[in-house]
Structures are given as structure tokens and as C-alpha cells.
Amino acid sequence: MPEKPLKICHVITRMIVGGAQENTLLSVKGQMEDGHEVVLLTGPTTGPEGTLLGTAAIPGLRVVEEPALIRAVNPLKDWVAYRRLKNHFLAEKYAVVHTHASKAGIIGRAAAWSARVPLVVHTVHGQAFHRYETWWRNKLYITMERFAARRCHHIFAVAEAMIDQCVKAGVAPREKYSVVYSGMDMDAFLNARPEPELRAALGIPENAPVIGKIARLFDLKGHDYLFEAAPAIVAEFPEARFILVGDGILKAEFQKKIKSMGLEENFIFTGLVPPGDVPRYTALMDVLAHLSLREGLPRTVVQALAAGKPAVGFDLDGTPEVIQEGETGHLCPPEDARAVELAILDLLRHPRKAQDMGATGRQRVRKNFDWRHMAACLQEAYYRLLG
């Protein structure tokens, strides 16, 4: 237990089943285990993505829900959320307010700064501004991020690429940032083993190669590039199965597309899977396809590597920090479905090479991405910044 426990509030827009949310919840868990008093302040969690608070609840955690803290831009509700958060911070007298993601980060930092919280920090999990957004939205997001950066003491990022992008956009100087890699439950993936019963339940033939993708069925997650690559892969490996782990608003559209391609037998939609079961599905895969066009630190890649599985991904954002070309998998030019096809085929044709890449990845991620390591890094930073 630290010599002087802190009262800490983590602020996030919603607690869906997602990377930023898992990061936040594990930060909370680690800090509570170290004796700190921690509160999680979140907006309402709705939608097909599910909720982490129902599946990974932490005993004794105090959760405060603010109905006005919503993901969409809404000037009236945003103002209400700001006023309520400021009043909450004034009443609770936290030593640290730690905000996560863009919307909660802007409102939360402004409110905490106005309430004179001793330490206000933020974590960049992924950028609101990016190459696939409209120019005017990017300009608005960058302006708001600059505003928020002046209202906090320090900014963490889950990948070096996030810092580079923020500095290039003029959000804040480099010295205001530091990297704390996104922590996760590594043990569950390090110890994951293929389960014949699960394989049979999913209808996967005994010797069929398995390509997995773990992501919400949503825009910019890159499913279309996997669909485009699939016919050539199936032509060479007719029994190949593509497991799509996750749910979202595009599920019906994707299923219709798969049917029109005549690949219904090759694709498996698992729907929403409890976080505790994701290692079981990852263990069945021969290769993970991570094709998101907007990513901070790709948690699913880290988790796949921990399970000894190589990965294929696009060479953007934080992905190259975990997929090293030819060592832990293959990097492809963004939006290049042909390159994805060739990368996956290479790993399926050469299973020994794929196993060696997975083993290398396992060794590289074992320590740096453990959630306890992340919590310890944050705690050290809090005390250092508080002086």
C-alpha cells in the first residue's frame, strides 16, 4: 500500500466492451488494490456493444453515472455535464481526476481544472481527429483538444504514435506527454489453449485454418478489407474459417454481404462475447487480422501475441509498435486488401513460421502490457506530478 493513499476519479463517456473502457477499469482495479479511494464517473452505457460494468464489476467500486455525459456532441447536454462534473469535483475534493477518451477528456478536464483539482491528467486512447474524418471536424477536434490540453497537468498516451500525432497537430508540446502502454489481463491469454469443444460448437472442421478478427461491427474497423481478401484465401484453403468476434450496427449488412459472396459457410459471427471468454476464441485462431483504420494501441493484437498468435494489420497509428514486420506478423499498407490477402496466405502456407512469430510476440508483450505494470506506472506518475 502506498504511504499516502489518494482520492482518485476516473472519467469516461461510456463503459461499453472496448479497449479504452477495459484500460480504465483495470487502472481503477489496480489503484483500489493499492489502497486508493477510487470513483468511476461515466455517462450512460447503451447499445449493442454491451457493458463492462455488468461483466467485470469490481467489488466495492463506487460508480457515478452522469446522464448528460453522452458521446455525441450536444451543446446543451455538454454544458449541463460540465456544470455537474464541476460541482461533483468541488464536493468530493479529489486529489486526482483522470479523464479518458476525447469527449469525457474535454469536458472532464475543463470541469476539474475549474474546480482546482490538484492533479488533472488525461489518457489518449485514440484520436478524435484522423485521416478519415472531414477537415472541418478535424479542425474542431484539434481546437478542442488544444483547449483541454491547457487545462490539465499531464497527458498519457497508449502509444508513441498518439504523442507524435498530437505534437504534430499542435495540441501540446512533447514534454507534456508520456507513454503508458495499455494494460490488460495477460495471464488469461498467456495460458489460453485451444478447446476442441468450443471449436466443435462453432462448427469449425478439425484441421481448418482459422483467421480471427476481434472488433465491433462498426465503421473504420476494416471488416471490408477482410471480406475482399477472403475469396482468394478460401480458394486456396476451402475449409478456412473467419471468426468475427463482436457485435454492432453493421452486423446485418455484413451478413448480407457474406451471403452475396457465397461465403456463408466460411464466416462465423459470434456476436458479443464476454471479455473473460475472448481468450478462448483467440486460442482457436491461427492468425489475427487487425484491420482498423483508426487505432491507438491495438489491444487485440497484444492479446493475440500473448496467446502466441501472429497478427496482420495496417501500418498506421500504434499498430507498428506491436506488429513488427516479419517478426510478430505482417504490416500492410492501409486499405490494401491485396496485401492483407497475401499476408494471411503467407502465414497459413508456412505454419511453422507463423508459430515462431507468435512465440516472439508472446515474449515481447508479456511484461510491458500487464495491467499491474500499467497501474504501477500511473501511480508513480501521480505522485511525481503531485510533488
Side-chain angles (χ1 to χ4, degrees):
M1 179 181 290
E3 185 175 340
K4 183 181 178 183
L6 303 172
K7 187 174 183 180
I8 305 165
C9 182
H10 286 267
V11 184
I12 192 166
T13 313
R14 53 184 186 159
M15 285 301 293
I16 62 169
V17 177
Q21 291 76 17
E22 290 178 9
N23 173 299
T24 302
L25 200 61
L26 288 171
S27 298
V28 168
K29 182 177 180 179
Q31 289 162 7
M32 289 180 67
E33 288 187 358
D34 282 336
H36 301 291
E37 180 183 350
V38 187
V39 172
L40 175 62
L41 195 158
T42 176
T45 299
T46 58
E49 299 92 345
T51 173
L52 271 183
L53 295 180
T55 58
I58 300 173
L61 171 62
R62 179 184 165 202
V63 178
V64 175
E65 182 173 304
E66 173 46 62
L69 186 60
I70 59 174
R71 187 167 184 259
V73 176
N74 183 310
L76 178 58
K77 287 194 173 183
D78 294 345
W79 172 250
V80 171
Y82 165 79
R83 294 298 304 174
R84 288 178 177 171
L85 262 61
K86 179 180 177 180
N87 290 338
H88 177 78
F89 297 150
L90 286 169
E92 294 287 342
K93 301 188 184 304
Y94 295 107
V96 181
V97 167
H98 188 155
T99 63
H100 300 264
S102 185
K103 178 72 175 290
I106 292 167
I107 294 175
R109 278 182 281 177
W113 193 260
S114 181
R116 300 186 181 277
V117 173
L119 179 62
V120 182
V121 295
H122 175 67
T123 291
V124 180
H125 297 275
Q127 306 291 13
F129 55 92
H130 53 88
R131 70 179 80 181
Y132 299 102
E133 188 53 272
T134 59
W135 70 268
W136 65 270
R137 283 184 181 273
N138 278 338
K139 185 172 183 179
L140 173 63
Y141 292 148
I142 290 171
T143 299
M144 295 307 296
E145 289 293 344
R146 289 173 180 169
F147 164 85
R150 295 193 296 269
R151 287 158 179 81
C152 68
H153 299 93
H154 195 73
I155 303 172
F156 304 107
V158 297
E160 290 284 355
M162 298 294 97
I163 297 177
D164 293 340
Q165 292 167 6
C166 288
V167 172
K168 184 178 179 180
V171 173
R174 185 169 293 273
E175 55 268 23
K176 195 158 192 172
Y177 293 90
S178 62
V179 169
V180 176
Y181 282 123
S182 192
M184 50 203 86
D185 183 357
M186 300 300 289
D187 291 343
F189 290 91
L190 290 167
N191 298 320
R193 298 293 181 269
E195 300 176 21
E197 299 82 5
L198 179 58
R199 189 181 182 98
L202 293 171
I204 303 174
E206 185 175 350
N207 296 315
V210 178
I211 302 97
K213 181 162 175 54
I214 305 172
R216 289 184 294 143
L217 307 183
F218 205 71
D219 292 324
L220 299 181
K221 292 299 183 181
H223 292 86
D224 285 337
Y225 305 106
L226 186 61
F227 300 155
E228 192 174 337
I233 296 170
V234 172
E236 186 167 341
F237 296 92
E239 290 194 324
R241 294 297 186 269
F242 298 82
I243 303 180
L244 303 185
V245 180
D247 207 341
I249 60 175
L250 297 180
K251 183 176 181 178
E253 179 181 325
F254 288 165
Q255 288 176 324
K256 183 179 179 181
K257 183 167 188 173
I258 293 301
K259 184 176 182 179
S260 70
M261 296 169 68
L263 296 176
E264 284 180 288
E265 185 176 307
N266 299 94
F267 276 82
I268 299 167
F269 290 79
T270 69
L272 192 64
V273 170
D277 284 345
V278 172
R280 301 174 60 215
Y281 289 82
T282 305
L284 297 179
M285 301 173 187
D286 294 290
V287 55
L288 176 85
H290 174 79
L291 306 176
S292 176
L293 296 174
R294 176 195 171 208
E295 196 66 70
L297 191 287
R299 294 171 67 85
T300 59
V301 172
V302 175
Q303 292 165 348
L305 294 177
K309 312 298 178 179
V312 171
F314 288 142
D315 187 4
L316 48 70
D317 296 340
T319 301
E321 294 177 42
V322 282
I323 299 180
Q324 283 84 44
E325 170 57 37
E327 297 180 34
T328 63
H330 288 309
L331 286 170
C332 305
E335 303 181 78
D336 191 335
R338 173 63 173 166
V340 171
E341 168 198 316
L342 295 175
I344 293 174
L345 282 172
D346 177 64
L347 295 173
L348 297 184
R349 290 167 181 161
H350 306 99
R352 181 58 186 270
K353 179 167 74 172
Q355 290 170 11
D356 289 344
M357 287 183 179
T360 299
R362 175 178 285 185
Q363 292 303 316
R364 293 188 180 180
V365 304
R366 185 185 295 269
K367 176 185 175 182
N368 287 341
F369 297 94
D370 184 81
W371 67 273
R372 293 178 182 86
H373 179 71
M374 173 187 69
C377 289
L378 291 176
Q379 177 177 283
E380 186 277 331
Y382 291 169
Y383 281 115
R384 173 173 49 82
L385 293 164
L386 282 167

